[in-house]
Amino acid sequence: MNNTFDINRFVLLLRKDIQENWKKYLIRILTIYGALTLVTTWNSFLSYSEFEQGFDRLKYLNRDLIVFTAFVFFIFGCISASMAMEPINSKTKRLVYLMNPSSAFEKYFSRWLIMTIGYMVVFFILFWLSDATRVLICSIRFPDIDVQSVHFDRLIGNDDHRYEYVFERVSQFKFFVGLFVFAQSLFILGSTFWPKNSLVKTFSAGIIIFITFLLVCWCAISLVFENGMGSFGNALQQRTFGVEDSTIVGYLTILCFIFAVINWILAFFRFRESDVIKRL
């Protein structure tokens, strides 16, 4: 028998997790659905009300709805990731969960799968449901206006009509995806350090690390460039380094995915330590 990963045992572990926590998952699903419906419907109400008053901003409505949806997707994605180690956030729950007859990798991967891939699948289903709800409510409130569903043909655009698109280039969209994956991986890693109140503690630690990083960069730039940030900004604008903006964004995207994988690996080893280390 494979002691690291067995598909039948893994499926049973997933089923057990869902059966025991379905009420929690249902509440979180309804919360996301409510937040999506409230944000998109409110934004649509404002745009359609302005249209009735003679201010036509409907061509930007689709873009705004996608932007607000992406914001909700990012926030709840981080919240979901911070709950990855919820089964071990107390001594009693930790003992019960770790005594489950499955490997550490199966336990970790099941939680990772639910809080990342599972979250994204559920979110997009909820997005279509909330959009249908928005169309229904707005159609009743504004019967003379053709209320349309959100469409993604203007998700990625070009410089000619950049204000009507969410992302000007494909590289920007890829960077957003990479940044989301990286942010989620940080909160998963943080949940292995602080199973209790992981969201707040990880966010606080991230802010401190980010500020420290900015200070280090500022000191390094001040030492290299004569006029500090001013000279560095001019060098970037004039492309002194010989690198295009899209190339820089591409490198940053790759770094996001690389660091995300590193965080997932570190999180697994931190989780595996829970088998032998008592952490309250």
Side-chain angles (χ1 to χ4, degrees):
M1 186 174 92
N2 191 344
N3 292 325
T4 302
F5 186 82
D6 181 79
I7 186 62
N8 295 324
R9 192 170 58 203
F10 179 72
V11 171
L12 290 175
L13 182 63
L14 277 177
R15 184 183 302 173
K16 181 177 183 296
D17 190 310
I18 295 173
Q19 289 177 346
E20 292 180 352
N21 300 291
W22 69 269
K23 291 183 179 179
K24 292 182 181 179
Y25 294 148
L26 180 60
I27 292 174
R28 293 166 188 171
I29 288 173
L30 293 177
T31 302
I32 297 174
Y33 170 76
L36 274 175
T37 305
L38 178 63
V39 169
T40 56
T41 303
W42 178 257
N43 187 264
S44 298
F45 261 65
L46 293 178
S47 297
Y48 291 136
S49 297
E50 291 179 354
F51 179 77
E52 288 184 335
Q53 297 173 6
F55 302 97
D56 187 4
R57 294 188 68 256
L58 294 184
K59 65 179 180 179
Y60 301 115
L61 177 60
N62 190 78
R63 178 204 63 185
D64 294 341
L65 292 177
I66 296 177
V67 169
F68 283 117
T69 299
F71 181 76
V72 175
F73 174 73
F74 201 100
I75 295 300
F76 278 100
C78 293
I79 295 175
S80 174
S82 69
M83 298 177 180
M85 296 298 113
E86 191 177 26
I88 60 172
N89 62 4
S90 67
K91 182 178 180 180
T92 302
K93 293 170 65 175
R94 183 185 304 111
L95 291 175
V96 172
Y97 188 73
L98 295 178
M99 289 177 64
N100 188 287
S102 56
S103 67
F105 177 76
E106 288 169 343
K107 295 186 183 78
Y108 172 78
F109 186 58
S110 68
R111 296 301 299 174
W112 180 90
L113 190 66
I114 291 174
M115 296 303 171
T116 55
I117 305 301
Y119 163 76
M120 287 186 280
V121 172
V122 171
F123 183 90
F124 285 112
I125 294 174
L126 294 176
F127 166 73
W128 293 116
L129 291 176
S130 67
D131 189 52
T133 305
R134 177 190 66 85
V135 172
L136 176 62
I137 295 174
C138 291
S139 298
I140 296 174
R141 173 61 180 81
F142 304 97
D144 298 329
I145 299 178
D146 181 21
V147 181
Q148 297 183 354
S149 301
V150 174
H151 47 89
F152 292 92
D153 57 341
R154 291 187 177 271
L155 178 64
I156 303 172
N158 50 54
D159 294 332
D160 296 334
H161 304 279
R162 59 181 180 176
Y163 296 111
E164 298 179 20
Y165 293 90
V166 181
F167 301 99
E168 295 180 19
R169 301 177 182 86
V170 177
S171 59
Q172 295 178 349
F173 173 73
K174 292 180 179 178
F175 177 70
F176 173 79
V177 175
L179 186 63
F180 170 75
V181 172
F182 173 65
Q184 263 207 331
S185 69
L186 282 178
F187 281 93
I188 290 177
L189 178 60
S191 67
T192 62
F193 283 92
W194 306 289
K196 292 183 179 179
N197 302 320
S198 174
L199 180 65
V200 176
K201 293 179 180 178
T202 304
F203 181 77
S204 301
I207 292 296
I208 294 173
I209 295 173
F210 181 69
I211 293 176
T212 304
F213 173 76
L214 291 180
L215 290 175
V216 172
C217 291
W218 179 79
C219 292
I221 291 172
S222 299
L223 292 174
V224 175
F225 292 89
E226 182 178 356
N227 295 325
M229 294 299 296
S231 299
F232 180 71
N234 293 332
L236 288 179
Q237 291 179 355
Q238 297 172 6
R239 293 184 172 87
T240 304
F241 305 109
V243 181
E244 296 292 332
D245 293 342
S246 59
T247 305
I248 296 176
V249 174
Y251 288 149
L252 290 176
T253 303
I254 294 174
L255 284 177
C256 283
F257 282 108
I258 291 175
F259 281 114
V261 173
I262 293 174
N263 288 336
W264 290 333
I265 295 174
L266 291 176
F268 167 68
F269 284 108
R270 281 287 306 175
F271 173 77
R272 195 172 65 172
E273 289 179 0
S274 300
D275 285 333
V276 294
I277 298 177
K278 178 181 178 182
R279 299 188 180 276
L280 299 177

